[in-house]
Amino acid sequence: MNIQAVEIVRDHSAASRNVGCRLCGSRLRHTLVDLGMSPPCERFLQPDQLDQMEPYYPLNVLVCDTCYLVQLKEYMSPETIFSEYAYFSSFSTSWVAHSKLYCETITGRLGLGPDSLAVELASNDGYLLQHFLPLGVPVLGVEPAANVARAAIEKGVATWVDFFGVRLANQMVGEGLRADLIIGNNVLAQVPDLNDFVAGVAILLKPEGMVTLEFPHIERLMAENQFDTIYHEHFSYFSLLTVDLMAARHGLRLIDVEELPTHGGSLRVYLCHEGSAWPRKDSIAQLLERETRHGLGEMSTYASFGYKAQRSKRDLLAFLISAKEEGKTICGYGAPGKGNTLLNYCAIGTDFLDFTVDRNPYKHGRYTPGMHIPIKPVDAIDEAKPDYILILPWNLKDEIIQQMRHVAAWNAKFVVPIPFVTVIDPSEYEK
Ligand SMILES: [Zn+2]
């Protein structure tokens, strides 16, 4: 993983989108969870920024009682949402392997060849599209961050540096481009104008083409209390019920869905044009039925989620307070975006965590946004020998405990905050 400075300036106005549901336009009247005020979660601070004013925005998550889209208002205007960083997907080896398998499978399933075109929206550094090249499938990426797009082009992955929507889709079609396959991995949540994005997809897609979208599944987020995965750059959180409605608005339909373990539990949905010949698989009806059974089509289910987050906050603080009362030392492991939602919501600063560590050298010497916890290299744990290590990227806990088993030498214990506070003795841990 690597992070570099890049400024992303969005080219559209926020004015028309701050009213009503981002998908269906209904008035938003219900809160899923209010996580208070929080700074942008990837805004890691340099030492000289610690004395400066820091921007805070609400993390009040709303849910639409018409289409059940869980959403944040666009609190940060498009002009101010420019990332100080860009995530280079190719630095995650497991993600690249996941992508390679996808390319091979979908090429066979769709019968893609030299006359096809595979387009990825938010194609990053070409981590995925590169795997189509040896398969002889022409590719085109669309990526707004110029520095990551450059890395893709250097790999031989043709990339347009732009934001995707109706405007760009029309421009592409005007140049004779139509897609047999459109891929959107973890981009849907970050699109401010959802309808413009999906309408663009429908324009660019060939009549018998296929769309695949991957996104974190709100069912898992709610069932496993993953409230910390909510942050400002994720505007929308989807169930299959909501995606079904979204597709229908744009003349598309769902034909298949797979559940993936990525990002705490994701869905990969397959969509085609309403009038195309692709048959709908049973997987769709099965998951829609399960979501309905789990109450994702009822407001009462959403209304109860806020209490789970509040309960988690009290339990985590109760644990940390009692550990400090006993004179124990505590540090963090990891400085992921989601860690910052958790730390700010619970107000956990250096009064509890002496420091945190991260494997990403970009973050070393910086401080977490809001709570200002110093971030050090991983071996700082070996020097400090803390009693407890709070794992912030809990989705990687198995991997981290394996790598850090040696802390058992001084009887250190791991603490996993989500879905509920769990203390793990590494000498007894079997995943
Ligand atoms: Zn709605």
Side-chain angles (χ1 to χ4, degrees), residues 46-72:
Q46 302 270 24
D48 63 358
Q49 293 175 297
L50 293 177
D51 293 334
Q52 295 170 9
M53 193 165 67
E54 209 173 342
Y56 275 65
Y57 300 90
L59 267 182
N60 184 22
V61 188
L62 304 170
V63 56
C64 173
D65 58 15
T66 303
C67 72
Y68 304 108
L69 181 68
V70 171
Q71 55 198 289
L72 279 177

Side-chain angles (χ1 to χ4, degrees), residues 161-189:
V161 180
D162 208 338
F163 286 94
F164 185 78
V166 167
R167 175 190 56 79
L168 188 64
N170 280 326
Q171 191 185 334
M172 294 168 96
V173 170
E175 295 197 15
L177 299 169
R178 296 293 293 278
D180 295 87
L181 171 64
I182 299 177
I183 304 151
N185 286 343
N186 297 305
V187 59
L188 207 54

Side-chain angles (χ1 to χ4, degrees), residues 136-374:
V137 179
V139 298
L140 178 61
V142 177
E143 169 55 52
N147 64 334
V148 277
R150 206 174 309 122
I153 292 163
E154 282 164 13
K155 288 177 188 149
V157 174
T159 305
W160 285 24
V161 180
D162 208 338
F163 286 94
F164 185 78
V166 167
R167 175 190 56 79
L168 188 64
N170 280 326
Q171 191 185 334
M172 294 168 96
V173 170
E175 295 197 15
L177 299 169
R178 296 293 293 278
D180 295 87
L181 171 64
I182 299 177
I183 304 151
N185 286 343
N186 297 305
V187 59
L188 207 54
Q190 302 190 36
V191 171
D193 192 340
L194 198 53
N195 285 309
D196 182 65
F197 184 87
V198 182
V201 166
I203 290 167
L204 184 63
L205 189 67
K206 280 185 186 170
E208 292 298 325
M210 178 94 81
V211 183
T212 72
L213 303 171
E214 289 182 29
F215 49 85
H217 190 193
I218 187 74
E219 183 195 62
R220 295 284 298 277
L221 187 155
M222 290 172 63
E224 292 165 33
N225 199 22
Q226 301 167 358
F227 63 88
D228 60 333
T229 63
I230 293 164
Y231 44 83
H232 295 107
E233 291 177 21
H234 285 178
F235 301 117
S236 309
Y237 302 82
F238 299 89
S239 62
L240 193 66
L241 287 163
T242 299
V243 172
D244 198 22
L245 293 168
M246 181 183 80
R249 280 179 77 92
H250 295 283
L252 299 171
R253 64 186 169 88
L254 282 167
I255 52 170
D256 197 5
V257 60
E258 293 162 2
E259 294 186 77
L260 308 173
T262 45
H263 299 284
S266 294
L267 294 183
R268 177 190 288 151
V269 298
Y270 295 76
L271 302 137
C272 63
H273 282 293
E274 190 67 64
S276 81
W278 291 99
R280 183 162 171 147
K281 290 203 167 185
D282 293 343
S283 57
I284 297 290
Q286 285 163 6
L287 187 53
L288 288 174
E289 188 277 325
R290 191 182 86 198
E291 286 188 352
T292 305
R293 190 156 29 87
H294 290 173
L296 294 181
E298 292 162 45
M299 287 311 293
S300 56
T301 310
Y302 297 94
S304 63
F305 182 70
Y307 298 108
K308 286 172 85 172
Q310 291 167 11
R311 178 75 203 237
S312 277
K313 174 176 179 171
R314 292 197 300 271
D315 288 352
L316 180 57
L317 285 173
F319 172 82
L320 294 173
I321 290 167
S322 84
K324 292 305 281 185
E325 295 287 345
E326 291 168 20
K328 305 289 189 191
T329 53
I330 313 169
C331 78
Y333 187 103
K338 62 168 155 270
N340 291 324
T341 295
L342 182 79
L343 296 173
N344 281 287
Y345 173 57
C346 299
I348 298 167
T350 51
D351 40 4
F352 291 112
L353 302 187
D354 296 333
F355 60 90
T356 191
V357 299
D358 202 277
R359 296 178 76 184
N360 182 348
Y362 169 87
K363 296 179 182 173
H364 297 161
R366 294 181 187 245
Y367 294 78
T368 65
M371 300 318 297
H372 297 185
I373 295 169

